[in-house]
């Protein structure tokens, strides 16, 4: 069943303040004057309050996906090469930028709402804890508290990852007076201690999985443990990271699924999903996508009615194109359409895929004729003009529409924050840094095998003995480079909270990475294809190639390599709106 819990949540905000009957109308409390004295009476009120917390997670200003992608090395900001004015791609943003101010506000709005629920639950604790006959309600209390504290911890974690070198405002209470809102910043160490306590409480008191279909999408202990594992990985505490991540792996709750199911509506809340943000076309509260039930991520990426404001960077496309598949794996054999010019009709041929499964479902490429894209093939459905050589497929509605305009430019595709594949890759990294190269290789190969890719290593895999290997003997350094610049970015492109930027920052290589990429030169060749009508046609200058040819030479990240200063750009500054309003900042 598709997002039943979140359809329920979308209606609760209406239920919370609905009137009862005409005869009682004049006696109703003005909903604009509701206070803690007239609300928060029982666990149902707390459940309703939790709705607002989940809803803030859906606020696209919370994630700022495009903004953080442009801070890393995965994308170019739309059409119009080689010129762009994008402040984040050029690394010239300031504390007054709208996105920075909106993200800060959304994070603390989420914290405020979570604190409301937590405070109300603490006031109600004595009604249920240890009270005979209230065991079921006490379990419910623990579940609601676990979810609320997860979100409070998560939002503090994110704001500390994003702003002011981690020194941000700690909010553990509900402000009542104006001056209560004006808090000074706390050191990162205090923020970390605080959010770890919240996340640990959630991990210890929430169920590991939700088996009830109508509640799919609720926060689980698996989500809490994955964020705890990620925190320790980001901090370089490899043993602690391994402990939390291995608990998820050993639980046997999560499993890898077909790669194509991880970015469409068809595969939402599948066995690989640990934490995802639910969106739904059918239940839109209003036309404001920032807190509605739909998103517009599709418009940022899609060339079919979309803005094409984010396209993959050249090095990323090249790595996708070069990633070798296992030619012995039957999943790489396709029945591909081919136009028979003598018969004047379409037939099929059995052959090897042009690109791997992971590549085909991550990118739309002009010479890929093996995947359906808005009802045809990528060259038939995408422009590939304006020096555009690829588009992201993830989070576009290519499987259910002919163009994004058919869906009024909105999307109901859930946004994946944490997949089991990421847990496997994080565990592989932690083990690699502990010196366990073979263990790391095994877990990387689990992820590669799921997409029928050629496995890594010079020894046949014990887990996948029929799979081919690339014959390379990896040591710690070479596997680290492979994990950083192939396995993680190709598997997790566009997903998670600022995933690629935070990876580059925690590895300490933002500046050097931009400098390295700025030296690379690329050119584009023409590619021919057969139209849906059976005619030969050409897409001009869209087949990306490494090296110079003197005609279409292009570089990426030249300005970023010059402008990036770690002390200025590793973190966002505290937004100007906060500094202006808050006398304690």
């Amino acid at each position: 069943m598709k997002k039943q819990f979140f359809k329920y949540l979308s209606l609760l905000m209406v239920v919370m303040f609905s009137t009862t009957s005409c005869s009682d109308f004049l006696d109703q409390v003005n909903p604009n004057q509701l206070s803690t004295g007239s609300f928060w009476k029982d666990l149902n009120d707390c459940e309703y309050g939790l709705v607002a917390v989940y809803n803030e997670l859906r606020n696209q200003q919370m994630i700022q996906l495009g903004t953080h992608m442009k801070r890393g090395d995965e994308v170019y900001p739309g059409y119009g090469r080689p010129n762009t004015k994008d402040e984040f791609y050029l690394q010239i943003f300031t504390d007054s930028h709208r996105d920075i101010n909106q993200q800060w506000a959304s994070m603390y709005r989420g914290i405020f709402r979570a604190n409301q629920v937590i405070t109300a639950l603490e006031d109600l604790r004595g009604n249920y804890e240890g009270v005979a006959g209230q065991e079921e309600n006490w379990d419910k209390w623990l579940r609601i508290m676990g979810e609320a504290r997860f979100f409070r911890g998560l939002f503090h974690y994110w704001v500390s990852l994003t702003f002011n070198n981690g020194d941000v405002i700690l909010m553990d209470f509900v402000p009542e007076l104006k001056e209560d809102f004006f808090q000074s910043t706390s050191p990162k160490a205090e923020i970390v201690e605080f959010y770890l306590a919240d996340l640990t409480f959630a991990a210890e008191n929430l169920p590991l999985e939700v088996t009830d279909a109508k509640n799919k999408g609720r926060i689980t202990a698996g989500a809490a443990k994955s964020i705890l594992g990620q925190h320790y990985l980001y901090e370089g505490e490899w043993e602690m990271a391994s402990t939390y991540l291995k608990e998820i792996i050993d639980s046997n709750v999560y499993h890898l699924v077909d790669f194509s199911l991880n970015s469409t509506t068809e595969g939402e809340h599948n066995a690989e999903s640990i934490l995802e943000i639910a969106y739904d076309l059918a239940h839109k509260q209003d036309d404001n996508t920032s807190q509605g039930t739909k998103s517009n991520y599709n418009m940022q990426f899609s060339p079919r009615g979309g803005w094409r404001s984010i396209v993959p960077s050249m090095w990323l496309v090249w790595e996708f194109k070069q990633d070798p598949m296992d030619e012995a794996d039957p999943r790489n054999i396709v029945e591909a359409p081919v136009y028979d010019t003598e018969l004047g009709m379409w037939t099929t041929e059995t052959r090897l895929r042009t690109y791997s499964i992971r590549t085909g479902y991550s990118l739309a490429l002009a010479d890929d004729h093996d995947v359906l894209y808005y009802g045809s093939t990528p060259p038939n459905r995408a422009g590939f003009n304006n020096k555009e050589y690829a588009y992201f497929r993830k989070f576009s509605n290519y499987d259910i529409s002919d163009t994004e305009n058919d869906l009024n430019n909105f999307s109901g595709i859930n946004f994946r924050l944490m997949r089991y594949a990421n847990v496997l890759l994080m565990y592989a990294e932690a083990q690699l840094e502990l010196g366990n190269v073979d263990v790391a290789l095994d877990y990387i190969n689990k992820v590669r095998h799921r997409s029928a890719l050629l496995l890594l290593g010079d020894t046949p895999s014990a887990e996948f003995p029929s799979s081919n290997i690339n014959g390379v003997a990896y040591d710690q350094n070479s596997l680290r480079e492979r994990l950083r610049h192939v396995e993680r970015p190709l598997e997790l492109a566009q997903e998670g909270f600022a995933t690629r930027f935070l990876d580059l920052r925690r590895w300490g290589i933002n500046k050097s990475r931009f400098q390295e990429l700025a030296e690379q030169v690329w050119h584009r060749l023409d590619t021919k294809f057969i139209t849906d009508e059976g005619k030969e046609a050409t897409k001009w200058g869209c087949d990306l190639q490494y090296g110079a040819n003197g005609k279409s030479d292009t570089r990426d990240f030249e300005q970023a390599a010059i402008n990036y200063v770690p002390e200025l750009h590793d973190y966002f500054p505290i937004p100007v709106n906060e500094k202006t309003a808050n006398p304690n900042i």
Side-chain angles (χ1 to χ4, degrees):
M1 298 176 67
K2 184 179 184 290
K3 295 172 286 202
Q4 292 299 317
F5 171 59
F6 287 92
K7 292 180 180 179
Y8 168 70
L9 286 181
S10 300
L11 299 175
L12 284 180
M13 294 302 287
V14 177
V15 175
M16 285 173 65
F17 302 122
S18 62
T19 58
T20 54
S21 67
C22 293
S23 62
D24 295 330
F25 177 76
L26 296 178
D27 296 325
Q28 295 301 305
V29 176
N30 183 342
N32 295 316
Q33 296 177 349
L34 284 173
S35 67
T36 54
S38 55
F39 196 59
W40 308 114
K41 293 293 189 182
D42 55 31
L43 292 180
N44 287 333
D45 289 346
C46 295
E47 189 83 87
Y48 296 156
L50 196 58
V51 173
V53 188
Y54 274 96
N55 208 44
E56 191 60 43
L57 180 66
R58 285 199 293 213
N59 188 340
Q60 290 178 227
Q61 296 168 5
M62 173 76 73
I63 303 299
Q64 291 289 8
L65 175 62
T67 298
H68 288 292
M69 289 185 73
K70 288 179 285 189
R71 296 177 72 198
D73 64 353
E74 287 182 307
V75 307
Y76 183 83
Y79 55 87
R81 281 182 184 276
N83 301 312
T84 179
K85 297 180 180 179
D86 191 277
E87 297 97 321
F88 296 103
Y89 179 80
L90 296 174
Q91 308 296 335
I92 56 173
F93 56 82
T94 68
D95 61 1
S96 64
H97 196 283
R98 178 194 62 186
D99 293 0
I100 295 175
N101 283 269
Q102 287 179 342
Q103 187 165 40
W104 174 276
S106 179
M107 288 174 170
Y108 278 102
R109 190 161 51 243
I111 290 169
F112 171 80
R113 293 175 177 178
N115 274 328
Q116 284 186 307
V117 178
I118 293 167
T119 299
L121 286 168
E122 289 294 352
D123 290 342
L124 294 169
R125 178 192 286 263
N127 296 346
Y128 311 112
E129 184 179 19
V131 177
Q134 293 295 323
E135 291 80 8
E136 185 175 343
N137 280 331
W138 176 242
D139 288 342
K140 184 177 181 180
W141 187 97
L142 284 172
R143 195 254 309 153
I144 299 173
M145 180 64 88
E147 292 181 49
R149 289 192 63 177
F150 170 84
F151 281 121
R152 186 176 69 174
L154 179 71
F155 297 153
H156 275 98
Y157 171 55
W158 282 349
V159 75
S160 184
L161 279 176
T162 307
F163 291 92
N164 198 39
N165 296 303
D167 300 342
V168 293
I169 296 172
L170 193 157
M171 293 295 293
D172 60 352
F173 68 100
V174 178
E176 295 183 2
L177 302 176
K178 181 179 178 181
E179 52 266 29
D180 292 340
F181 286 93
F182 302 142
Q183 301 294 314
S184 59
T185 60
S186 297
K188 177 183 175 181
E190 291 183 19
I191 302 295
V192 170
E193 181 181 10
F194 180 73
Y195 71 63
L196 287 181
D198 272 352
L199 293 170
T200 300
F201 180 92
E204 293 174 349
N205 290 279
L206 289 175
L208 192 58
E209 63 177 325
V210 174
T211 56
D212 182 5
K214 71 179 182 180
N215 284 309
K216 285 289 186 182
R218 279 192 180 275
I219 301 303
T220 65
K225 289 180 179 180
S226 69
I227 299 300
L228 286 165
Q230 184 185 69
H231 158 78
Y232 287 113
L233 186 85
Y234 283 8
E235 293 296 313
E237 297 185 41
W238 314 120
E239 291 282 7
M240 287 294 292
S242 294
T243 296
Y244 279 107
L245 297 170
K246 194 62 161 60
E247 285 181 12
I248 298 172
I249 294 168
D250 290 344
S251 72
N252 292 318
V253 169
Y254 304 101
H255 308 280
L256 297 174
V257 302
D258 188 297
F259 187 82
S260 66
L261 296 177
N262 286 316
S263 57
T264 62
T265 54
E266 180 186 357
E268 291 171 347
H269 300 305
N270 62 52
E272 188 169 341
S273 173
I274 298 177
L275 179 60
E276 63 184 68
I277 305 174
Y279 294 103
D280 196 328
L281 283 170
H283 288 266
K284 185 71 171 72
Q285 294 167 341
D286 51 44
D287 290 331
N288 179 4
T289 61
S290 68
Q291 284 190 271
T293 59
K294 300 176 184 177
S295 81
N296 62 14
Y297 290 135
N298 55 322
M299 300 299 289
Q300 297 180 48
F301 304 119
S302 175
R304 292 286 293 177
W307 308 321
R308 311 188 328 276
S309 55
I310 300 175
V311 296
S313 56
M314 291 185 285
W315 78 267
L316 185 67
V317 173
W318 186 250
E319 290 295 347
F320 267 117
K321 293 177 70 170
Q322 300 303 306
D323 201 19
M325 71 188 85
D326 184 351
E327 297 186 8
D329 194 312
R331 292 174 293 173
N332 287 321
I333 305 300
V334 295
E335 292 290 330
V338 60
Y339 191 79
D340 190 316
T341 54
E342 293 185 3
L343 296 177
M345 60 182 292
W346 286 95
T347 60
T348 60
E349 64 175 352
T350 303
R351 60 169 174 79
L352 193 68
R353 291 179 180 275
T354 305
Y355 296 110
S356 72
I357 292 171
R358 184 164 70 179
T359 295
Y361 283 103
S362 297
L363 302 181
L365 297 165
D367 57 345
D368 189 352
H369 308 281
D370 302 336
V371 292
L372 279 177
Y373 192 60
Y374 294 102
S376 185
T377 60
N380 275 292
R381 287 292 183 265
F384 293 104
N385 47 19
N386 297 310
K387 303 179 181 178
E388 296 164 10
Y389 43 79
Y391 307 98
F392 286 114
R393 281 169 62 97
K394 285 183 181 178
F395 306 123
S396 58
N397 292 288
Y398 64 85
D399 59 325
I400 60 173
S401 67
D402 183 62
T403 170
E404 299 299 334
N405 303 139
D406 292 344
L407 304 175
N408 297 318
N409 302 336
F410 292 118
S411 176
I413 301 171
N414 288 3
F415 181 75
R416 277 64 168 184
L417 280 168
M418 181 69 69
R419 288 193 287 118
Y420 185 55
N422 194 6
V423 168
L424 295 177
L425 291 177
M426 288 193 293
Y427 183 71
E429 180 179 351
Q431 288 297 303
L432 180 62
E433 297 303 330
L434 290 170
N436 302 320
V437 177
D438 290 341
V439 175
L441 201 58
D442 287 342
Y443 280 87
I444 293 171
N445 278 336
K446 289 177 187 290
V447 178
R448 291 187 62 81
H449 181 266
R450 180 265 295 282
S451 293
L453 293 161
L454 192 66
L455 302 188
L456 308 182
D458 60 350
T459 303
S461 168
E463 185 175 4
F464 310 110
S466 62
S467 297
N468 288 326
I469 56 176
N470 66 356
V472 176
Y474 290 93
D475 59 17
Q476 187 181 44
N477 289 330
S478 60
L479 190 58
R480 180 186 292 124
E481 286 299 299
R482 176 84 194 190
L483 180 64
R484 289 181 175 184
H485 299 309
V486 180
E487 303 307 329
R488 282 189 63 79
L490 267 59
E491 180 67 28
L492 304 172
Q494 298 170 267
E495 298 180 33
F497 181 84
T499 301
R500 183 60 178 171
F501 172 77
L502 292 176
D503 278 351
L504 296 176
R505 189 184 73 190
R506 67 189 177 89
W507 296 327
I509 61 173
N510 300 71
K511 180 77 171 182
S512 61
R513 180 66 174 164
F514 291 141
Q515 292 172 332
E516 173 192 353
L517 294 176
E519 294 298 316
Q520 296 178 351
V521 182
W522 307 86
H523 67 276
R524 291 165 286 104
L525 302 177
D526 304 334
T527 184
K528 296 186 180 298
F529 71 104
I530 302 298
T531 68
D532 291 337
E533 294 75 28
K535 297 180 180 180
E536 187 177 89
T538 301
K539 290 290 183 180
W540 306 102
C542 59
D543 182 11
L544 187 69
Q545 300 292 318
Y546 182 72
N549 70 349
K551 292 173 56 181
S552 59
D553 296 350
T554 312
R555 297 174 189 260
D556 264 343
F557 304 107
E558 291 180 285
Q559 287 303 116
I562 297 171
N563 295 339
Y564 195 91
V565 178
E567 293 78 12
L568 296 177
H569 302 116
D570 275 0
Y571 289 81
F572 283 160
I574 292 179
V576 67
N577 288 355
E578 181 69 29
K579 289 187 285 192
T580 301
N582 186 347
N584 293 317
I585 295 294

